[in-house]
């Protein structure tokens, strides 16, 4: 309320100027000097009028001042300062004649308010004002203004230590004081590139304001996307330099809340907040699909500004029956956060997350010009699909997930942060599926050619009993040596590197088919591809091919060479003797499936003998084999979707 006292004192002095000039015709320079002394005595601030002074008589008395500044005596460039292009005060004749003059309207045009942002709590940014003893009673503030308007204003927050500035432009406001003591403030501004509108209604009680509750209502609306609306009611009390907000209740968008807050306004602000939400929604970057048509989009170079953490200290407790981050939902949620000396530390414990729990700590150190970030998190028993889909738009893995992360990074943009990541991470998904992919079918496709991309199809899945990996991360490079996938029909082990900054990967894996529909722990031995498989390139659209020299330059020759060497695909057992090197792969696979299942499944297709005549598979001569149903068709359907 110090601003109201200053405005009241200035208003009284403007009235004095007008009366003296209007009645006596005294030279304006002499009166201005008197007014400057009066304002400095009442408020601790000095007013300087650098432009001309104009007096109007018709249609009503008025006073206009040009190029006015308001600052502290002896102030330096690091102190606050108000500069106004033009101040116009209008009066009613009746109020001048009554002996109780009032300003009908005070118009402030093109003001620029510069406010220093302090990094330490020592000292004060507010003027001390006139000396006052503790026993001096508070006086009711004189505020003889019916309406005040501010147009084309600018607020500049600056750091006197490093010279940085943040600007809020296009500030327009209207302040109206009613006969019932109700103060109404409405207006708009543009912090950054997002328009903001505000409305404040307060009804101060009669008498001094100190240590008395002021019923207050607040509405804030920020245009989007995304758009937000905040409404709140509270009992506001001024206790010295501390603003106390009790009985706080309201809503943020569609989530109601209640709690309390306080703000210590001496020097660097100290904010304390305790709020309980029914539902709290937080913005998150819109998720991008895993494989957009144009390829993986690079990380953004747009700067993330966290410098504001240097200019406020805070102690915040937020609880919510439901917390929404992007499309992900957590219930219940509780977060304790503290900001001190430019460092934010937020702790979340027992966060309810899709039938599981999440715990962790997020830290942001904004003291340096290159901010640092740290995250420690542990999720247990969480359903992977809704969590990963809601947070990152990744909808290819489902199952019960356990994951840990201990990550650190620095940078001023998302690209810089992910490219500097260091730490460890692990993931383990059980009893689920890989959606949109049929890995067994991809293995079969590798027997005749290389693959480009993941061969995604929304109607196909790969059931899995386990998918796990641990990674060590340094400078944005995640390295794993224990990739493992197990399902009813496939096994896969591998190792490789994910370049998080460039969104590329380089893996060498050993895929195997399991000739049984049992899951992990089945007795059948898996049948390998015979040679490792390379997965390399953009992580949304990599090249996938057998690890054979020159295969990308001349795939046909490479596959022919494999057969000539008698290795073939799926190992030597799949290629047979040299005279079978040209045999159809389907026949070889059929034979392998029968061997893996350990069952005679009826006569096998005729194969050319060395003499060029058809010969029967020896298993077809076993009469007992005709009594068992052939499982090959079912296995082939599950393996290859046919």
């Amino acid at each position: 309320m110090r601003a109201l006292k200053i405005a009241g004192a200035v208003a009284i002095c403007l009235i004095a100027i007008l009366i003296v000039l209007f009645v006596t015709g005294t030279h304006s320079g002499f009166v201005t000097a008197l007014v400057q002394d009066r304002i400095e005595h009442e408020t601790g601030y000095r007013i300087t009028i650098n432009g001309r002074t104009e007096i109007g008589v018709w249609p009503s008395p008025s006073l206009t001042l040009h190029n006015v500044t308001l600052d502290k005596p002896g102030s330096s460039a690091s102190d606050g300062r108000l500069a106004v292009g033009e101040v116009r005060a209008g009066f009613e004749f009746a109020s001048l004649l009554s002996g109780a003059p009032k300003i009908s309207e005070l118009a402030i045009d093109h003001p620029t308010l510069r406010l220093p942002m302090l990094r330490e709590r020592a000292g004060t940014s507010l003027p001390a004002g006139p000396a006052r003893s503790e026993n001096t009673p508070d006086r009711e503030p004189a505020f003889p203004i019916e309406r005040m308007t501010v147009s084309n204003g600018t607020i500049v927050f600056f750091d006197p230590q490093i010279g940085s500035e943040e600007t809020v432009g296009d500030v327009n406001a209207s302040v109206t004081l009613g006969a019932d003591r109700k103060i109404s403030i409405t207006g708009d501004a543009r912090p950054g590139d997002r328009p903001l509108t505000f409305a404040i209604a307060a009804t101060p009680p009669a008498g001094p304001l100190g240590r008395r509750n002021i019923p207050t209502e607040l509405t804030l609306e920020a245009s989007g996307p995304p758009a937000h609306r905040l409404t709140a009611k509270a009992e506001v009390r001024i206790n010295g330099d501390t603003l106390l907000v009790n009985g706080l209740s309201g809503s943020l968008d569609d989530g109601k809340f209640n709690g309390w807050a306080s703000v210590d306004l001496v020097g660097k602000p100290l904010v304390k907040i305790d709020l309980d939400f029914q539902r709290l929604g937080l913005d998150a970057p819109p998720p991008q699909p895993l494989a957009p048509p144009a390829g993986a989009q690079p990380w953004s170079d747009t700067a993330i500004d966290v410098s504001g953490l240097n200019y406020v200290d805070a102690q915040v407790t937020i609880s919510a029956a439901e917390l929404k981050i992007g499309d992900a939902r957590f219930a219940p949620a509780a977060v304790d956060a503290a900001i001190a000396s430019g460092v934010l530390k937020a702790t979340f414990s027992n966060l309810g997350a899709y039938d599981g729990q999440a715990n962790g700590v997020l830290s942001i150190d904004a003291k340096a010009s290159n901010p640092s970030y740290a995250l420690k998190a542990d999720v247990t028993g969480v359903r992977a699909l809704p969590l990963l889909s809601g947070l990152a738009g990744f909808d290819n893995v489902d199952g019960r997930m356990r994951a840990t992360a201990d990550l650190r990074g620095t940078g001023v943009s998302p690209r810089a942060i992910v490219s500097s990541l260091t730490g460890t991470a692990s993931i383990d998904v059980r009893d689920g599926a890989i959606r949109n992919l049929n890995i067994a079918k991809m293995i079969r496709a590798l027997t005749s050619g290389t693959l480009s991309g993941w061969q995604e199809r929304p109607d196909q899945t790969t059931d899995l009993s386990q998918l796990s990996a641990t990674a060590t991360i340094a400078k944005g490079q995640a390295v794993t040596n224990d990739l493992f996938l197990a399902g009813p029909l496939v096994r896969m082990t591998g190792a490789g590197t994910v370049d998080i900054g460039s969104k590329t990967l380089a893996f060498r894996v050993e895929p195997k088919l399991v000739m049984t529909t049992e899951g992990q722990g089945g007795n059948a031995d898996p049948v390998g591809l015979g040679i490792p498989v390379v997965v390399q390139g953009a992580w949304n659209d990599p090249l996938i091919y057998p690890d054979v020299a020159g295969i990308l330059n001349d795939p046909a020759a490479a596959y022919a060479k494999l057969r000539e060497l008698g290795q073939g695909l799926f190992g030597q057992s799949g290629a047979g003797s040299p005279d079978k090197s040209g045999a159809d792969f389907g026949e070889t696979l059929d034979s392998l499936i029968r061997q893996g299942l350990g069952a005679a499944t009826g006569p096998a297709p005729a194969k050319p003998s060395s003499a060029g005549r058809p010969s029967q598979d020896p298993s077809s001569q076993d009469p007992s084999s005709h009594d068992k149903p052939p499982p090959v068709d079912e296995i082939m359907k599950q393996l290859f979707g046919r």
Side-chain angles (χ1 to χ4, degrees):
M1 294 298 174
R2 187 182 298 272
L4 293 179
K5 295 179 180 179
I6 294 174
V10 172
I12 292 174
C13 293
L14 291 176
I15 292 174
I17 292 177
L18 182 65
I19 293 175
V20 172
L21 291 178
F22 185 71
V23 175
T24 68
T26 304
H27 189 271
S28 61
F30 173 75
V31 177
T32 298
L34 295 177
V35 171
Q36 290 171 338
D37 292 340
R38 174 69 181 273
I39 290 178
E40 183 174 338
H41 175 75
E42 290 290 334
T43 68
Y45 279 89
R46 174 184 58 194
I47 185 171
T48 303
I49 305 172
N50 299 309
R52 66 186 185 277
T53 300
E54 299 175 353
I55 300 175
V57 178
W58 184 260
S60 60
S62 64
L63 176 66
T64 303
L65 308 177
H66 294 271
N67 296 330
V68 178
T69 61
L70 193 68
D71 57 11
K72 292 167 56 178
S75 63
S76 65
S78 62
D79 292 319
R81 178 186 178 93
L82 173 64
V84 183
E86 182 179 275
V87 179
R88 298 186 302 276
F91 307 85
E92 294 290 341
F93 277 114
S95 68
L96 295 176
L97 298 176
S98 67
K102 287 187 177 183
I103 297 178
S104 58
E105 182 172 2
L106 179 66
I108 302 174
D109 188 31
H110 282 91
T112 299
L113 176 63
R114 293 181 58 84
L115 294 174
M117 304 296 287
L118 305 180
R119 290 175 175 257
E120 304 297 334
R121 287 193 54 75
T124 176
S125 62
L126 298 177
R132 178 178 177 275
S133 68
E134 294 183 359
N135 296 325
T136 302
D138 288 332
R139 294 176 299 172
E140 182 169 358
F143 201 72
I145 303 176
E146 294 180 359
R147 184 170 181 265
M148 180 172 65
T149 61
V150 177
S151 57
N152 305 306
T154 302
I155 303 175
V156 180
F157 300 98
F158 68 96
D159 186 333
Q161 296 181 358
I162 63 176
S164 65
E165 294 185 352
E166 297 290 340
T167 300
V168 178
D170 298 334
V171 179
N172 300 280
S174 174
V175 183
T176 303
L177 290 88
D180 56 356
R181 304 183 59 84
K182 185 174 182 178
I183 301 174
S184 176
I185 304 174
T186 59
D188 55 79
R190 183 179 289 273
D193 58 353
R194 299 189 61 183
L196 175 73
T197 61
F198 56 87
I200 303 172
T203 307
L209 296 179
R211 296 181 295 278
R212 304 189 68 177
N213 288 335
I214 304 173
T216 305
E217 298 180 8
L218 169 68
T219 301
L220 292 176
E221 292 190 44
S223 300
H228 293 290
R229 176 182 172 85
L230 169 69
T231 61
K233 295 181 179 181
E235 297 287 333
V236 178
R237 177 184 298 182
I238 303 170
N239 186 6
D241 293 304
T242 302
L243 191 69
L244 303 176
V245 184
N246 296 313
L248 177 60
S249 64
S251 63
L252 176 59
D253 297 330
D254 60 347
K256 295 183 179 180
F257 64 84
N258 58 75
W260 60 270
S262 69
V263 183
D264 187 345
L265 297 173
V266 175
K268 183 180 182 180
L270 172 60
V271 180
K272 298 180 180 180
I273 299 176
D274 190 331
L275 295 178
D276 181 28
F277 285 82
Q278 292 181 1
R279 184 185 300 106
L280 175 61
L282 301 179
D283 295 334
Q288 294 188 1
L290 178 63
Q297 300 298 315
W299 296 103
S300 173
D301 287 316
T302 302
I304 301 174
D305 187 6
V306 295
S307 61
L309 297 177
N310 289 293
Y311 309 119
V312 62
D313 289 344
Q315 300 170 14
V316 180
T317 298
I318 301 291
S319 58
E322 179 184 10
L323 171 64
K324 181 180 178 183
I325 303 177
D327 290 329
R329 288 175 169 78
F330 304 89
V335 179
D336 290 317
I339 304 174
S341 302
V343 178
L344 165 68
K345 183 177 181 180
T347 303
F348 52 94
S349 302
N350 300 322
L351 198 68
Y354 298 103
D355 300 332
Q357 285 190 337
N359 299 274
V361 178
L362 171 65
S363 300
I364 302 176
D365 188 340
K367 294 193 300 292
S369 58
N370 196 32
S372 61
Y373 301 80
L375 172 66
K376 290 185 177 181
D378 184 344
V379 297
T380 306
V382 175
R383 292 163 51 208
L385 179 61
L387 179 66
L388 297 178
S389 177
L391 287 178
F394 183 81
D395 60 357
N396 287 68
V397 175
D398 196 7
R400 291 291 175 181
M401 182 177 71
R402 166 74 187 270
T404 63
D406 186 354
L407 305 174
R408 297 170 300 282
T410 59
V412 296
S413 69
R415 184 198 295 270
I417 295 170
V418 299
S419 298
S420 68
L421 283 178
T422 300
T424 59
S426 68
I427 186 171
D428 189 300
V429 181
R430 303 289 180 105
D431 303 325
I434 298 179
R435 304 172 74 241
N436 308 321
L437 296 177
N438 186 326
I439 294 179
K441 191 172 183 179
M442 292 174 63
I443 295 173
R444 177 180 182 267
L446 286 172
T447 64
S448 58
T450 63
L451 302 181
S452 178
W454 294 109
Q455 315 297 303
E456 289 187 295
R457 287 187 55 180
D459 60 337
Q460 296 184 349
T461 62
T462 297
D463 292 337
L464 62 87
S465 53
Q466 182 179 358
L467 171 63
S468 63
T470 60
T472 300
I473 306 169
K475 296 182 179 179
Q477 305 281 324
V479 179
T480 179
N481 295 306
D482 59 358
L483 174 65
F484 178 70
L485 182 148
L489 298 170
V490 293
R491 299 282 192 274
M492 185 181 295
T493 59
T497 300
V498 178
D499 188 330
I500 305 174
S502 63
K503 295 187 178 181
T504 60
L505 50 80
F507 270 76
R508 195 169 184 265
V509 299
E510 177 101 10
K512 297 180 180 181
L513 296 179
V514 183
M515 302 311 165
T516 175
T517 55
E518 297 181 41
Q520 186 177 8
N523 295 324
D525 292 331
V527 180
L529 187 60
I531 52 176
V533 171
V534 174
V535 183
Q536 180 176 293
W539 64 21
N540 70 300
D541 189 25
L543 284 174
I544 307 171
Y545 53 90
D547 190 10
V548 178
I551 193 169
L552 296 182
N553 296 327
D554 192 348
Y559 280 104
K561 185 65 174 178
L562 285 175
R563 296 186 177 93
E564 290 174 6
L565 294 174
Q567 294 176 348
L569 298 170
F570 286 92
Q572 295 181 0
S573 62
S577 58
D579 64 293
K580 284 181 158 185
S581 59
D584 181 76
F585 172 72
E587 297 179 13
T588 302
L589 181 61
D590 180 80
S591 177
L592 288 171
I593 292 175
R594 296 171 189 275
Q595 295 173 27
L597 290 173
T601 56
K607 304 181 180 66
S609 67
S610 59
R613 295 186 302 272
S615 62
Q616 284 298 112
D617 190 309
S619 65
S620 66
Q621 302 174 11
D622 182 2
S624 64
S625 64
H626 299 286
D627 299 328
K628 297 180 180 179
V632 177
D633 290 344
E634 182 63 27
I635 296 297
M636 292 293 284
K637 287 180 181 178
Q638 295 188 53
L639 282 174
F640 308 130
R642 70 179 192 181

